[in-house]
């Protein structure tokens, strides 16, 4: 019986995680579930799994949560600190699936318990890669990658041949606009951007996928998770999302992991690791898939990828600035305040304007993050199309 906590239990990854856990109730006991304010979904999941604790980050949602949990043994709590306390309860396995920088402190709290953390919240590792990896090592925590690309790489990396890894190649679906002209991309709406062709995901990562910032964030994530040099990391567009990433060795061999485009596969891999567990998906029908295509990403239509690569190469505070500015710009795009192409423009502008020193602690990362959010917010304000001029 493994004890589990799910941070971000009401989201896309959180829901997929619950699905797997609820299919094997004899193997898992739920310690804590957290959300921001989706009380209905959180309380429902807490009732089904008999969770010990349910937490909403938004304190104004506590009264509703308490009412929704009436008659159960689940305790209710609220606030950002309470989310960190839930993360610190020391479950054997913690899913980190809060979206964005809000996940950073809870992930650190979970790592400090020295257990296993399954990481979906890539933004925390992009912002605080060195600090997080040091914390994981110092506390003896196991950090398992949930992102399908990193989970694929993790499965293809041979421990005994780590020094013979030549390159790691992350695959990208190319998102919903891979065939659109730059001109067409100016008028893209939030509804179009969140309609991903291959994956069903939360709004923020869907927009990141459409700008290809997602792949850029993933390059930085891979650098930290696997201790690779920037020139060992490549990304390639692979429309079918069948191969989730590849590892190339010195002898020219490429190892790839293939699977259905369903997050329950990588989540199950981390949930059962180092063993395997069954998932409900139909096996891949390779004959029906027929062909696998690969193409280079277009740097003109998808400038976010180059911004992320440059931030990765420069290191220091650059990845944290990139991530924070992107979060602000994506939220502004989803709120119809700026256009789709302005997301990368605001990130570039923030990177050009702001150049603090390399953060060497969690607090220093949070300072850089706050500074970048402030500048990106000003840039959004200056471009805001929802405000009549
Ligand atoms: P969703 O938007 O679907 O879910 C986000 C979760 O985070 C929800 O539980 C939400 O609660 C919670 N949350 C939001 N804001 C806060 C906050 N301020 N404090 C605490 N909790 C908060 O996101 P996804 O599941 O799509 O993605 C989660 C993470 O996983 C992201 O970092 C993403 O990049 C990564 N990821 C996602 C994949 C996917 O397939 N979806 C694939 C690979 C990685 P509430 O519902 O109450 O708002």
């Amino acid at each position: 019986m493994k004890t589990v906590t799910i941070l971000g239990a009401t989201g896309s990854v959180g829901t997929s995680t619950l699905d797997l856990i609820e299919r094997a109730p004899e193997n898992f006991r739920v310690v804590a579930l957290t959300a921001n304010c989706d009380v209905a979904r959180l309380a429902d999941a807490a009732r089904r799994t008999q969770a010990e604790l349910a937490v909403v980050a938004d304190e104004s949602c506590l009264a509703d949560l308490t009412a929704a949990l009436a008659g159960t043994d689940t305790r209710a709590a609220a606030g950002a600190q309470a989310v960190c306390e839930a993360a610190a309860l020391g479950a054997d396995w913690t899913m980190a699936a809060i979206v964005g920088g809000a996940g950073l402190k809870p992930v650190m709290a979970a790592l400090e318990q020295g257990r296993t953390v399954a990481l979906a919240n890539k933004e925390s590792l992009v912002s605080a890669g060195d600090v997080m990896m040091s914390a994981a090592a110092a506390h003896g925590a196991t950090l398992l990658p949930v992102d399908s690309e990193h989970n694929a790489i993790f499965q293809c990396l041979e421990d005994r041949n780590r020094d013979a890894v030549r390159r790691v190649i992350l695959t990208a679906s190319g998102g919903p606009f891979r065939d659109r002209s730059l001109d067409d991309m100016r008028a893209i709406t939030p509804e179009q951007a969140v309609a991903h062709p291959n994956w069903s995901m939360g709004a923020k990562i869907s927009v990141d996928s459409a700008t290809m910032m997602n792949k850029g964030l993933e390059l930085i994530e891979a650098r930290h998770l696997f201790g690779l040099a920037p020139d060992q990391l490549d990304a390639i567009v692979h429309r079918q999302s069948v191969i989730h990433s590849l590892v190339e060795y010195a002898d020219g061999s490429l190892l790839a992991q293939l699977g259905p485009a369903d997050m329950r596969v990588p989540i199950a891999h981390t949930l059962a690791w180092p063993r395997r567990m069954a998932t409900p998906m139909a096996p891949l029908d390779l004959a029906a898939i027929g062909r696998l295509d690969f193409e280079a990403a277009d740097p003109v239509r998808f400038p976010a990828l180059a911004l992320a690569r440059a931030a990765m190469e420069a290191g220091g505070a650059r990845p944290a600035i990139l991530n924070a500015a992107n979060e602000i710009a994506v939220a502004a795009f989803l709120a119809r305040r700026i256009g789709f192409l302005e997301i990368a423009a605001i990130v570039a502008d923030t990177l050009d304007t702001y150049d603090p020193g390399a953060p060497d602690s969690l607090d220093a990362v949070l300072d850089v993050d706050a500074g970048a959010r402030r500048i990106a917010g000003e840039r959004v304000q200056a471009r805001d199309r929802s405000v009549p001029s």
Side-chain angles (χ1 to χ4, degrees), residues 290-375:
R291 53 185 277 182
L292 299 175
D293 297 301
F294 303 96
E295 62 205 274
D298 177 353
V300 176
R301 290 181 304 133
F302 298 101
L305 195 49
L307 289 174
R309 180 172 278 285
M312 169 173 74
E313 284 163 0
R318 311 304 282 164
I321 299 170
L322 173 99
N323 178 67
N326 182 58
E327 284 191 33
I328 293 294
V330 169
F333 167 70
L334 287 170
R336 298 178 206 281
R337 296 180 65 200
I338 60 168
F340 182 74
L341 294 181
E342 288 173 295
I343 299 173
I346 284 173
V347 175
D349 204 353
T350 309
L351 283 162
D352 283 348
T353 315
Y354 186 44
D355 195 15
D360 57 1
S361 66
L362 179 58
D363 285 342
V365 171
L366 293 170
D367 281 349
V368 170
D369 178 272
R373 280 172 200 268
R374 185 177 42 73
I375 293 170

Side-chain angles (χ1 to χ4, degrees), residues 135-160:
H139 295 279
T142 303
L143 192 56
L144 297 175
V146 171
D147 227 342
S148 59
E149 295 77 0
H150 305 76
N151 186 264
I153 295 163
F154 183 64
Q155 295 196 44
C156 295
L157 273 178
E158 300 174 337
D159 270 346
R160 63 188 179 283

